[in-house]
Amino acid sequence: MAITSQSRSQLAGAAVLFGSLCIASQSAGAQELELMHFWTSGGEAAAMNVIKEAAEEEGIEWRDAAVAGGSGMNAFQVLQSRVAAGNPPAAMQMHGAQIHQYAEAGLLIDLSDVATSEEWREVIDPNLLRYAEFDGSWVGIPFNIHRPNYVWANKEIMDRYGGNVPDNWNKFFELGDRMKADGIIPLASGGQPWQDLLLWELVLLGDQGQDFHRRALIEQDVSAIDSQEMRAAFETFRKVLDYTDPNRANRDWNLATSMVMNGDAAMQVMGDWALGEFISAGLEAGSDYICEASPGTDGMYVWNADFWGFFKGLGEDGVEGQRTLATLTMSADVQEQFNVLKGSIPARTDIEANQFTPCGQQGIADRAAALEAGTMVASFAQNSAQPTDVRGVYEDVVTQFVGNPAMTADQAVSQILDGLRSL
Ligand code: GAL
């Protein structure tokens, strides 16, 4: 969902309306907070419950405002309408790009004093500072770091085909052809715009490399977009779709994960929030499932993060509750307990790996190595690399490309360039 430049002015307008309305609308009662998020799958809910229980122990009355829909595909629209009406929740779980847009509109409280007293700067993953801070204020409280560039594979099926997850897309196609000949769905996936954009981004990254990903998506360099590499990425992506099933349209990501769990499909390319589903299903890494980097991205840590953004306008008790929730979310204990269940790794770099599952432990080690090697790659699809209106241009084109088998790579390139020029 793109928050366009037009809607940015709505946000600014909301800042005025909101400033006048919401103090009146917020009850001054005990630390009752309305908390909006989109974590409704098994693993997501189990992880968020860690935060909820810790908050209630600190005296917060948690009014849950969950909005189902993977990656916030519905929640961000609900939030924008609430903000435009001058009636935002006390806090929203959102990505870095949304944090910056609401901070830019002056709608988020500044937690710099808490950041200083809790010494967050000393422990936070340095990649997250770009979104945790805005214009000298501390506006985003990170829950985690997620890693979108994973393949989740059914161990029993993979063992029938040699046991190795393909580390490039040509090997994936060879393996997929053998699976299709045996009536096995090689790739479980969900045909929703956010999922298709994520798959497309990972195919482009795996096929064309980190430098091209930066030029084409982060810099929107016309010579990179209007290139043979970009056309090749679209053609590979088109071929990948041939290894999914015909019922993928609008399938939720966690239902695709279940297909891998149940042996209805061999693999899923999805972020490590899928790990939370395997964990909540009581399945074991190595014996039930395999986690590997998506084809061509070994050694790269593609990342996105989830943050609390705390909205202004509450009374004294409410603000106290927001500060309490921010502090406990960043605490070492909660960071460990939450991320073990969420499938992500902590936003803090000082958390031991021993409580994590094997895939989580590998992730913590890989993050440290990628920080050293300069191979942390902010995910464009997951709102961690560009503003939502830029992301929206690419998402709209990829969605059309998936929906229209006759659409060519040339047409896709032209539509991206036209869309960027229209911003
Ligand atoms: C991502 C989000 C994750 C996970 C996933 C599926 O965008 O950062 O925390 O929830 O969507 O909903």
mmCIF file of all heavy atoms in Angstrom, residues 38-39 44 69-72 93 95 144 146 194 253 273 304-306 342 382, ligand 1:
data_model
loop_
_atom_site.group_PDB
_atom_site.id
_atom_site.type_symbol
_atom_site.label_atom_id
_atom_site.label_comp_id
_atom_site.label_asym_id
_atom_site.label_seq_id
_atom_site.Cartn_x
_atom_site.Cartn_y
_atom_site.Cartn_z
ATOM 1 N N PHE A 38 -0.359 -6.210 13.231
ATOM 2 C CA PHE A 38 -0.934 -7.179 12.289
ATOM 3 C C PHE A 38 -0.452 -8.592 12.572
ATOM 4 O O PHE A 38 -0.446 -9.449 11.687
ATOM 5 C CB PHE A 38 -0.671 -6.771 10.836
ATOM 6 C CG PHE A 38 0.753 -6.431 10.476
ATOM 7 C CD1 PHE A 38 1.663 -7.429 10.144
ATOM 8 C CD2 PHE A 38 1.186 -5.118 10.439
ATOM 9 C CE1 PHE A 38 2.962 -7.116 9.776
ATOM 10 C CE2 PHE A 38 2.480 -4.795 10.078
ATOM 11 C CZ PHE A 38 3.380 -5.804 9.751
ATOM 12 N N TRP A 39 -0.056 -8.875 13.787
ATOM 13 C CA TRP A 39 0.481 -10.183 14.132
ATOM 14 C C TRP A 39 -0.628 -11.127 14.617
ATOM 15 O O TRP A 39 -0.932 -11.240 15.803
ATOM 16 C CB TRP A 39 1.563 -10.007 15.193
ATOM 17 C CG TRP A 39 2.814 -9.431 14.596
ATOM 18 C CD1 TRP A 39 3.199 -9.469 13.276
ATOM 19 C CD2 TRP A 39 3.833 -8.709 15.281
ATOM 20 N NE1 TRP A 39 4.401 -8.814 13.114
ATOM 21 C CE2 TRP A 39 4.816 -8.354 14.315
ATOM 22 C CE3 TRP A 39 4.040 -8.333 16.598
ATOM 23 C CZ2 TRP A 39 5.977 -7.650 14.647
ATOM 24 C CZ3 TRP A 39 5.194 -7.627 16.939
ATOM 25 C CH2 TRP A 39 6.143 -7.291 15.964
ATOM 26 N N GLU A 44 3.214 -15.324 15.115
ATOM 27 C CA GLU A 44 3.165 -13.879 15.392
ATOM 28 C C GLU A 44 2.437 -13.618 16.706
ATOM 29 O O GLU A 44 2.891 -12.854 17.558
ATOM 30 C CB GLU A 44 2.449 -13.158 14.258
ATOM 31 C CG GLU A 44 3.180 -13.156 12.940
ATOM 32 C CD GLU A 44 2.309 -12.593 11.811
ATOM 33 O OE1 GLU A 44 1.068 -12.707 11.871
ATOM 34 O OE2 GLU A 44 2.882 -12.027 10.863
ATOM 35 N N GLY A 69 -3.767 -9.623 8.183
ATOM 36 C CA GLY A 69 -3.307 -9.379 6.805
ATOM 37 C C GLY A 69 -1.800 -9.284 6.808
ATOM 38 O O GLY A 69 -1.232 -8.387 7.445
ATOM 39 N N GLY A 70 -1.140 -10.211 6.100
ATOM 40 C CA GLY A 70 0.308 -10.307 6.169
ATOM 41 C C GLY A 70 1.014 -8.996 5.830
ATOM 42 O O GLY A 70 0.567 -8.246 4.961
ATOM 43 N N SER A 71 2.080 -8.739 6.554
ATOM 44 C CA SER A 71 2.956 -7.598 6.303
ATOM 45 C C SER A 71 2.235 -6.255 6.387
ATOM 46 O O SER A 71 2.680 -5.276 5.795
ATOM 47 C CB SER A 71 3.638 -7.743 4.930
ATOM 48 O OG SER A 71 4.827 -6.969 4.909
ATOM 49 N N GLY A 72 1.117 -6.235 7.083
ATOM 50 C CA GLY A 72 0.397 -4.988 7.285
ATOM 51 C C GLY A 72 -0.405 -4.545 6.081
ATOM 52 O O GLY A 72 -0.796 -3.377 5.981
ATOM 53 N N GLN A 93 2.482 -1.144 15.448
ATOM 54 C CA GLN A 93 3.646 -1.910 14.974
ATOM 55 C C GLN A 93 3.787 -1.642 13.494
ATOM 56 O O GLN A 93 2.839 -1.860 12.739
ATOM 57 C CB GLN A 93 3.403 -3.417 15.222
ATOM 58 C CG GLN A 93 4.357 -4.336 14.513
ATOM 59 C CD GLN A 93 3.672 -5.234 13.508
ATOM 60 O OE1 GLN A 93 2.522 -5.615 13.692
ATOM 61 N NE2 GLN A 93 4.360 -5.554 12.404
ATOM 62 N N HIS A 95 6.766 -0.688 9.948
ATOM 63 C CA HIS A 95 8.118 -0.791 9.400
ATOM 64 C C HIS A 95 8.801 0.563 9.420
ATOM 65 O O HIS A 95 8.175 1.592 9.683
ATOM 66 C CB HIS A 95 8.061 -1.339 7.966
ATOM 67 C CG HIS A 95 7.562 -2.741 7.902
ATOM 68 N ND1 HIS A 95 6.805 -3.225 6.858
ATOM 69 C CD2 HIS A 95 7.692 -3.782 8.752
ATOM 70 C CE1 HIS A 95 6.505 -4.475 7.056
ATOM 71 N NE2 HIS A 95 7.042 -4.848 8.195
ATOM 72 N N ASN A 144 12.848 -6.179 16.614
ATOM 73 C CA ASN A 144 13.538 -7.328 16.014
ATOM 74 C C ASN A 144 14.325 -6.914 14.771
ATOM 75 O O ASN A 144 14.268 -5.755 14.348
ATOM 76 C CB ASN A 144 12.498 -8.384 15.599
ATOM 77 C CG ASN A 144 11.472 -7.807 14.614
ATOM 78 O OD1 ASN A 144 11.652 -6.708 14.090
ATOM 79 N ND2 ASN A 144 10.395 -8.531 14.368
ATOM 80 N N HIS A 146 14.154 -8.988 11.075
ATOM 81 C CA HIS A 146 13.717 -10.163 10.311
ATOM 82 C C HIS A 146 14.620 -10.302 9.084
ATOM 83 O O HIS A 146 15.271 -9.347 8.662
ATOM 84 C CB HIS A 146 12.262 -10.012 9.853
ATOM 85 C CG HIS A 146 11.270 -10.659 10.766
ATOM 86 N ND1 HIS A 146 11.330 -11.991 11.123
ATOM 87 C CD2 HIS A 146 10.176 -10.164 11.401
ATOM 88 C CE1 HIS A 146 10.318 -12.272 11.934
ATOM 89 N NE2 HIS A 146 9.613 -11.185 12.125
ATOM 90 N N TRP A 194 2.255 -7.852 -1.705
ATOM 91 C CA TRP A 194 3.481 -7.769 -0.892
ATOM 92 C C TRP A 194 4.338 -9.018 -1.037
ATOM 93 O O TRP A 194 5.573 -8.952 -1.050
ATOM 94 C CB TRP A 194 3.157 -7.482 0.572
ATOM 95 C CG TRP A 194 2.619 -8.630 1.369
ATOM 96 C CD1 TRP A 194 1.302 -8.993 1.514
ATOM 97 C CD2 TRP A 194 3.375 -9.587 2.124
ATOM 98 N NE1 TRP A 194 1.199 -10.104 2.315
ATOM 99 C CE2 TRP A 194 2.460 -10.495 2.713
ATOM 100 C CE3 TRP A 194 4.737 -9.763 2.384
ATOM 101 C CZ2 TRP A 194 2.858 -11.549 3.523
ATOM 102 C CZ3 TRP A 194 5.153 -10.818 3.203
ATOM 103 C CH2 TRP A 194 4.209 -11.692 3.754
ATOM 104 N N TRP A 253 0.447 -15.858 3.574
ATOM 105 C CA TRP A 253 1.811 -16.414 3.626
ATOM 106 C C TRP A 253 1.910 -17.623 4.545
ATOM 107 O O TRP A 253 2.573 -18.609 4.244
ATOM 108 C CB TRP A 253 2.795 -15.332 4.080
ATOM 109 C CG TRP A 253 2.579 -14.911 5.516
ATOM 110 C CD1 TRP A 253 1.734 -13.931 5.985
ATOM 111 C CD2 TRP A 253 3.193 -15.479 6.672
ATOM 112 N NE1 TRP A 253 1.782 -13.860 7.350
ATOM 113 C CE2 TRP A 253 2.678 -14.793 7.811
ATOM 114 C CE3 TRP A 253 4.128 -16.489 6.873
ATOM 115 C CZ2 TRP A 253 3.078 -15.107 9.107
ATOM 116 C CZ3 TRP A 253 4.527 -16.804 8.172
ATOM 117 C CH2 TRP A 253 3.996 -16.113 9.273
ATOM 118 N N TRP A 273 9.778 -14.893 9.571
ATOM 119 C CA TRP A 273 8.529 -14.999 10.330
ATOM 120 C C TRP A 273 7.893 -16.365 10.090
ATOM 121 O O TRP A 273 7.130 -16.855 10.917
ATOM 122 C CB TRP A 273 7.561 -13.864 9.988
ATOM 123 C CG TRP A 273 7.438 -13.509 8.549
ATOM 124 C CD1 TRP A 273 6.546 -14.045 7.654
ATOM 125 C CD2 TRP A 273 8.237 -12.572 7.800
ATOM 126 N NE1 TRP A 273 6.727 -13.476 6.420
ATOM 127 C CE2 TRP A 273 7.762 -12.580 6.476
ATOM 128 C CE3 TRP A 273 9.281 -11.710 8.116
ATOM 129 C CZ2 TRP A 273 8.283 -11.776 5.456
ATOM 130 C CZ3 TRP A 273 9.811 -10.911 7.117
ATOM 131 C CH2 TRP A 273 9.330 -10.933 5.825
ATOM 132 N N ASN A 304 14.599 -6.593 7.354
ATOM 133 C CA ASN A 304 13.579 -5.601 7.666
ATOM 134 C C ASN A 304 13.368 -5.666 9.174
ATOM 135 O O ASN A 304 13.793 -6.612 9.824
ATOM 136 C CB ASN A 304 12.272 -5.821 6.913
ATOM 137 C CG ASN A 304 11.478 -7.010 7.411
ATOM 138 O OD1 ASN A 304 11.872 -8.140 7.211
ATOM 139 N ND2 ASN A 304 10.357 -6.757 8.097
ATOM 140 N N ALA A 305 12.758 -4.649 9.720
ATOM 141 C CA ALA A 305 12.527 -4.628 11.166
ATOM 142 C C ALA A 305 11.124 -4.104 11.457
ATOM 143 O O ALA A 305 10.531 -3.368 10.660
ATOM 144 C CB ALA A 305 13.566 -3.734 11.851
ATOM 145 N N ASP A 306 10.610 -4.548 12.597
ATOM 146 C CA ASP A 306 9.316 -4.059 13.084
ATOM 147 C C ASP A 306 9.578 -3.120 14.248
ATOM 148 O O ASP A 306 10.430 -3.413 15.098
ATOM 149 C CB ASP A 306 8.456 -5.228 13.577
ATOM 150 C CG ASP A 306 8.091 -6.180 12.445
ATOM 151 O OD1 ASP A 306 7.363 -5.758 11.532
ATOM 152 O OD2 ASP A 306 8.555 -7.336 12.467
ATOM 153 N N LYS A 342 9.226 -15.387 17.560
ATOM 154 C CA LYS A 342 8.829 -14.665 16.331
ATOM 155 C C LYS A 342 9.566 -15.199 15.113
ATOM 156 O O LYS A 342 9.100 -15.059 13.977
ATOM 157 C CB LYS A 342 9.100 -13.171 16.514
ATOM 158 C CG LYS A 342 8.581 -12.274 15.388
ATOM 159 C CD LYS A 342 7.064 -12.220 15.353
ATOM 160 C CE LYS A 342 6.556 -11.219 14.337
ATOM 161 N NZ LYS A 342 6.881 -11.606 12.928
ATOM 162 N N GLN A 382 10.168 -4.878 1.884
ATOM 163 C CA GLN A 382 9.708 -4.874 3.267
ATOM 164 C C GLN A 382 9.892 -3.508 3.926
ATOM 165 O O GLN A 382 10.208 -3.401 5.114
ATOM 166 C CB GLN A 382 10.438 -5.981 4.051
ATOM 167 C CG GLN A 382 9.843 -7.361 3.791
ATOM 168 C CD GLN A 382 8.467 -7.493 4.413
ATOM 169 O OE1 GLN A 382 8.297 -7.321 5.621
ATOM 170 N NE2 GLN A 382 7.463 -7.759 3.619
HETATM 171 C C1 GAL B 1 6.454 -8.585 7.824
HETATM 172 C C2 GAL B 1 6.655 -8.262 9.285
HETATM 173 C C3 GAL B 1 6.851 -9.536 10.066
HETATM 174 C C4 GAL B 1 5.768 -10.564 9.758
HETATM 175 C C5 GAL B 1 5.382 -10.618 8.277
HETATM 176 C C6 GAL B 1 4.121 -11.400 7.989
HETATM 177 O O1 GAL B 1 6.334 -7.419 7.068
HETATM 178 O O2 GAL B 1 7.794 -7.424 9.431
HETATM 179 O O3 GAL B 1 6.899 -9.235 11.458
HETATM 180 O O4 GAL B 1 4.710 -10.347 10.554
HETATM 181 O O5 GAL B 1 5.261 -9.349 7.720
HETATM 182 O O6 GAL B 1 3.002 -10.713 8.440
#
